[in-house]
Amino acid sequence: FDDIDMNKIDYDRLDLDHAGFGTDCHKIFENIKNPFDTDCRQLQETLKKILYAYMKKTYGDPLPMLIGIQQEILEKRLYHAAIAIADDSKGFECIETEWKLGGRQQNGIPFEGAVIRGTIDRIEVSRDKKTLRLIDFKTFSRKETPAKKHLHTN
């Protein structure tokens, strides 16, 4: 797991806020480049190994108690995500992760008088099905709809 991009261990962090929890979940998926394993149990094990390596490298060993509890919650979410992902990933290959709309500067893409900004978590292609799919992992509660979470007026 050498490609986990972390500069230093955050020894001062006691727990993860809502944004930190989501960021960490995304970092786990970023480390699965190609392809998602279509064997559910194998994908669950892969996600678990990446999670433990990432958390240790990010927050130290041993983990602060609350972060350790949150790691268990993340592990359960990843376990259930693997069930949903494994069967759905057959025939797809990942071509990009964390792709920024409008390039590295995230200038966005102008469209009909608006500028669309954001990051696509994962882009996959199925050459057999002639299908391109854009995946946006959601880690927030169901209380917020995607529209409420992402649509902003300036």
Side-chain angles (χ1 to χ4, degrees):
F1 304 105
D2 295 330
D3 58 344
I4 294 176
D5 182 26
M6 299 310 304
N7 296 325
K8 63 178 184 150
I9 294 175
D10 186 354
Y11 289 108
D12 297 326
R13 192 89 194 231
L14 298 177
D15 69 338
L16 303 173
D17 60 12
H18 189 70
F21 191 88
T23 297
D24 287 347
C25 191
H26 278 89
K27 290 286 185 186
I28 305 310
F29 281 110
E30 282 176 42
N31 281 281
I32 297 181
K33 298 298 182 197
N34 212 7
F36 273 140
D37 200 314
T38 56
D39 177 86
C40 184
R41 296 246 184 256
Q42 185 61 45
L43 180 56
Q44 288 167 335
E45 284 302 311
T46 300
L47 288 169
K48 183 177 178 177
K49 285 178 189 175
I50 293 171
L51 169 66
Y52 277 72
Y54 170 81
M55 296 297 278
K56 181 177 177 179
K57 191 167 185 176
T58 305
Y59 302 108
D61 188 19
L63 293 174
M65 184 175 65
L66 292 176
I67 291 180
I69 292 167
Q70 289 172 309
Q71 175 180 284
E72 289 179 22
I73 294 167
L74 264 171
E75 183 180 342
K76 287 183 183 189
R77 285 194 180 185
L78 293 170
Y79 175 90
H80 290 288
I83 294 168
I85 290 169
D87 190 52
D88 206 33
S89 294
K90 291 178 181 163
F92 283 88
E93 84 178 82
C94 177
I95 57 173
E96 191 68 58
T97 60
E98 293 300 308
W99 190 78
K100 297 187 182 349
L101 297 173
R104 295 196 187 276
Q105 290 75 31
Q106 250 186 326
N107 296 330
I109 299 171
F111 179 77
E112 294 294 320
V115 178
I116 302 169
R117 290 186 178 89
T119 302
I120 299 170
D121 295 328
R122 188 174 173 92
I123 302 174
E124 297 180 337
V125 65
S126 171
R127 299 187 199 303
D128 294 340
K129 298 176 186 177
K130 296 182 181 171
T131 303
L132 180 72
R133 66 181 180 185
L134 311 176
I135 299 173
D136 185 30
F137 297 115
K138 293 293 164 208
T139 57
F140 54 85
S141 70
R142 294 199 183 270
K143 293 176 187 171
E144 286 188 275
T145 66
K148 184 177 178 185
K149 180 79 176 171
H150 293 291
L151 294 179
H152 305 281
T153 57
N154 294 10

